[in-house]
Amino acid sequence: MDAQGRGRADDVDPADQWVLNPNTGEYELRLSPSAPQSGVPGPRRAAAAPSPSRMGAPGSRTTTPLAPGRDVPPPRRRRSAPPEEPLPGRRGRRPVKQKSKAKKALLWTGGTMAFVLVAGATGGYFYLRHLEGNVGVADVGDAAASSFSKDEAFNILVIGTDKRTGEGNEGYGDAGSVGHADTTILLHVAKDRTNATALSIPRDLIVDIPDCETKQEDGSQTVVAGQEDVRFNRSLGESGRDAGCTMRTVEAATGIKPDHFVMADFNAVKTLTTAVDGVEVCVENAVNDKKSKLVLPAGTSKVEGERALAFVRTRHAFGNEGDLDRIKVQQQFLGSLMRKMTSGDTLTNPAKLLKLAEAATNALTVDKAIGKVGTLKDIALEMKKVPTKNISFMTIPVKDNPAETVKATVVIEETRAPAIFDAIKNDVSFTEVKKQEKKEKAEVAARLKGTKSAASDVRVRILNGGAAGGSAQQQLSYLQTEEGVTKSENAGNAEAALAKTTLEYAPDQADQARRLADIMGLSGSAMKPGKSVTNAQGLPAMTLTLGKDFKGAGVKLNSSAATAPSVDKSTADKAQCAS
């Protein structure tokens, strides 16, 4: 409560001020009708929004701007007016704090230095503007996308640097360093939001760093020369390389283009774990690491602040004391942090949410396209749609560098890594997910019912109508060699791009169409009764047009995990013990 209200600010239960509206799924400010209405929750800061007296409090001539989704605050009742009905809840008692499965994570964490984005639950236009002011923004030119789309899959590169800032960090990183890419995760969020993949990139991976244009403090542009066969962590910080250089290096090494980046240093993991009152971790054996000063008993412990940082930074307490074992520990820690952030204890506690919002936004530097509060909110809302059981953590498959006698670095394992890169590029899930298809009308669904011809009798011409280059030939090879559809041919590109894959066929080809639909996982709506065409042998054939939804040769359109490669991974919903 502010200075114009009754009582002191620390006498007010935050839960009385911010409650969950079950109709909108958002937190809303609900003070008593006679109390002043504030656009900014929680205690005010020196750099926060204008005081409530300037935003529509009693005696003010201005009207408080309302944030989207907020109810209009009730007017003050005159003394002569009859009593108003109480606010929703049990009469005479504090409203029950409601928990809702719909209120999932308000934020997502990735990398050693957690990546957290705050959605609208904190409420209040001016407060969100204040949070926007906390976030650092860097211009990396065309290395990042110019905008964020809510309707597409997206890739965010999460970079944890070894830059020393703040008290207590003297034992970490390189003294005087501007920060190298110490811990890096490429986060892919699927277009349908059913799954996400967090791919860790070892800092000691040998890569080629391409030339990259960087923007200097005075606004000028300079090109930093690339290097061949060097450690990945040198893609940031060295010779003035910025996060855009790291993004370009990731694309060169994996073929996956990051759309945006978020970056933070050591302080982030300390402040974020403190904001949620600690994170549970588990170790199989007791730890007493003199270098990181980490001391933990065997079993489960709660860590926060300095001890949490020591847990994710130590290399000598787990496995072979190498960076790859440390990455696994970090992934387990991130899963635990995500579970804590999505717990009812966090989501139903407005005071904790505000503390977390401050810690998160102060920790981040992002690219220009996502530096606005509205965009950060959009990303957060898209991310919280992904179930934690379908968030996969994995590391790029690597092997020891054959050029070294004393093994210190690694190189990409060429027999396994490309399949993982292709799966991510084609939006394939590494967990089993159910496709939420709309119910088709009976007559459309009926197209799938009936007899199916043998695969060898299916005669089809394949066109590329918006899929990735080479898709028609790849699908042709798959159908002929794997499915026995030998009477098929590549007909080149379609005249127009299509959003969805379609199969057009004549009435007497319905049994062939049903066989091909079964092979490819086509829905009834993808099957288009029409005319046949003449193939290269002068015989009637169906027309299969691969649309933008085509995920790759052999990938069924109704199962996003159908051909995901086998990979060592963990998921964010399960607790694991470091060893």
Side-chain angles (χ1 to χ4, degrees):
M1 192 175 293
D2 67 17
Q4 297 184 18
R6 299 174 184 172
R8 292 167 33 205
D10 54 7
D11 292 330
V12 179
D13 185 343
D16 289 334
Q17 297 176 297
W18 294 88
V19 297
L20 181 65
N21 183 334
N23 296 321
T24 64
E26 301 287 348
Y27 280 95
E28 297 175 357
L29 184 63
R30 293 285 182 86
L31 300 180
S32 63
S34 61
Q37 304 298 315
S38 170
V40 182
R44 284 176 286 167
R45 295 162 48 110
S51 68
S53 63
R54 297 184 181 182
M55 298 193 297
S60 172
R61 296 186 180 182
T62 58
T63 302
T64 306
L66 295 175
R70 292 271 305 279
D71 288 344
V72 177
R76 297 187 62 187
R77 180 173 58 87
R78 293 176 296 176
R79 293 184 180 180
S80 59
E84 295 181 353
E85 286 294 317
L87 292 170
R90 292 174 292 180
R91 295 177 183 272
R93 298 178 63 184
R94 179 179 301 162
V96 178
K97 299 177 183 178
Q98 302 182 46
K99 294 183 180 180
S100 169
K101 291 182 180 179
K103 290 301 297 179
K104 294 181 181 178
L106 300 176
L107 23 88
W108 163 274
T109 306
T112 314
M113 311 299 128
F115 158 32
V116 182
L117 296 170
V118 180
T122 49
Y125 172 81
F126 287 103
Y127 185 71
L128 292 179
R129 293 289 295 179
H130 158 70
L131 292 179
E132 180 180 303
N134 290 347
V135 180
V137 177
D139 183 358
V140 294
D142 60 5
S146 59
S147 61
F148 171 75
S149 173
K150 293 189 289 185
D151 301 321
E152 299 293 336
F154 59 90
N155 302 314
I156 295 182
L157 191 65
V158 185
I159 307 169
T161 77
D162 57 5
K163 182 178 180 180
R164 293 183 183 181
T165 60
E167 297 181 3
N169 292 331
E170 294 79 9
Y172 304 107
D174 299 327
S177 170
V178 296
H180 297 99
D182 186 68
T183 300
T184 306
I185 290 183
L186 179 62
L187 170 66
H188 171 80
V189 180
K191 180 176 180 178
D192 62 8
R193 309 301 187 243
T194 60
N195 65 92
T197 302
L199 182 67
S200 291
I201 303 173
R203 67 177 188 178
D204 295 328
L205 177 68
I206 295 299
V207 296
D208 292 340
I209 301 175
D211 295 345
C212 60
E213 188 175 65
T214 62
K215 192 169 186 177
Q216 306 302 300
E217 291 184 2
D218 61 3
S220 62
Q221 301 282 344
T222 186
V223 175
V224 180
Q227 289 179 283
E228 295 182 354
D229 296 328
V230 295
R231 278 181 167 89
F232 174 80
N233 68 340
R234 295 173 63 179
S235 65
L236 178 71
E238 187 170 301
S239 303
R241 294 190 178 103
D242 60 12
C245 299
T246 307
M247 297 173 75
R248 290 184 171 94
T249 302
V250 169
E251 182 178 9
T254 67
I256 304 169
K257 180 175 176 58
D259 299 306
H260 306 286
F261 83 88
V262 296
M263 183 168 60
D265 60 28
F266 290 138
N267 274 334
V269 73
K270 295 165 65 173
T271 56
L272 291 173
T273 53
T274 300
V276 296
D277 294 333
V279 172
E280 282 195 352
V281 297
C282 180
V283 293
E284 290 187 359
N285 303 302
V287 174
N288 187 356
D289 184 5
K290 295 181 180 179
K291 291 191 175 182
S292 67
K293 300 181 175 60
L294 178 65
V295 178
L296 290 175
T300 302
S301 302
K302 186 167 78 169
V303 297
E304 65 178 278
E306 187 66 38
R307 199 156 71 137
L309 179 58
F311 181 81
V312 297
R313 288 291 303 157
T314 185
R315 298 179 58 165
H316 304 284
F318 308 113
N320 296 321
E321 302 186 12
D323 189 51
L324 297 179
D325 291 304
R326 186 183 69 155
I327 287 176
K328 292 180 180 179
V329 173
Q330 291 169 351
Q331 292 172 345
Q332 294 164 11
F333 174 84
L334 293 174
S336 181
L337 179 57
M338 290 176 61
R339 292 191 297 274
K340 183 64 178 287
M341 288 178 171
T342 60
S343 68
D345 178 58
T346 300
L347 294 179
T348 59
N349 188 326
K352 186 176 289 186
L353 284 175
L354 297 179
K355 185 178 179 181
L356 190 54
E358 292 289 346
T361 52
N362 273 306
L364 298 180
T365 298
V366 303
D367 59 277
K368 287 179 63 177
I370 63 174
K372 296 295 183 181
V373 65
T375 309
L376 292 177
K377 178 180 176 181
D378 286 344
I379 293 177
L381 292 174
E382 293 304 308
M383 285 181 167
K384 75 174 186 176
K385 295 176 183 177
V386 183
T388 54
K389 68 179 182 179
N390 291 332
I391 300 172
S392 301
F393 289 100
M394 63 189 68
T395 305
I396 291 179
V398 295
K399 62 183 179 181
D400 288 336
N401 187 353
E404 294 177 333
T405 302
V406 178
K407 304 303 180 184
T409 61
V410 293
V411 296
I412 290 177
E413 172 57 77
E414 294 294 347
T415 61
R416 293 188 296 144
I420 294 175
F421 300 155
D422 287 343
I424 293 175
K425 284 189 290 185
N426 291 316
D427 208 23
V428 175
S429 174
F430 288 86
T431 59
E432 291 293 337
V433 297
K434 294 182 179 180
K435 303 289 286 183
Q436 301 298 322
E437 300 287 356
K438 294 181 179 179
K439 290 185 177 179
E440 297 179 325
K441 293 182 179 180
E443 63 269 21
V444 175
R447 297 170 187 169
L448 296 171
K449 298 178 181 179
T451 59
K452 302 180 182 70
S453 70
S456 58
D457 291 332
V458 174
R459 189 177 287 109
V460 61
R461 300 174 75 244
I462 304 174
L463 295 170
N464 189 332
S471 292
Q473 184 60 41
Q474 293 166 11
Q475 182 66 8
L476 175 68
S477 298
Y478 171 79
L479 290 175
Q480 291 182 342
T481 60
E482 301 295 331
E483 299 291 346
V485 183
T486 54
K487 297 175 182 178
S488 51
E489 62 185 56
N490 182 352
N493 293 326
E495 293 181 359
L498 300 178
K500 301 288 186 180
T501 296
T502 62
L503 175 62
E504 185 176 1
Y505 57 97
D508 61 351
Q509 297 171 318
D511 56 344
Q512 297 181 46
R514 285 190 286 268
R515 173 57 64 193
L516 189 58
D518 182 61
I519 291 173
M520 294 189 60
L522 297 176
S523 64
S525 61
M527 301 174 67
K528 305 294 184 183
K531 300 179 180 179
S532 64
V533 294
T534 302
N535 67 7
Q537 288 75 41
L539 300 173
M542 301 182 295
T543 300
L544 174 66
T545 305
L546 306 179
K548 293 180 180 179
D549 62 337
F550 182 72
K551 298 178 182 296
V555 180
K556 288 193 174 185
L557 291 171
N558 61 355
S559 177
S560 63
T563 59
S566 177
V567 61
D568 183 18
K569 67 178 185 298
S570 60
T571 53
D573 63 319
K574 296 179 181 178
Q576 294 180 301
C577 291
S579 60

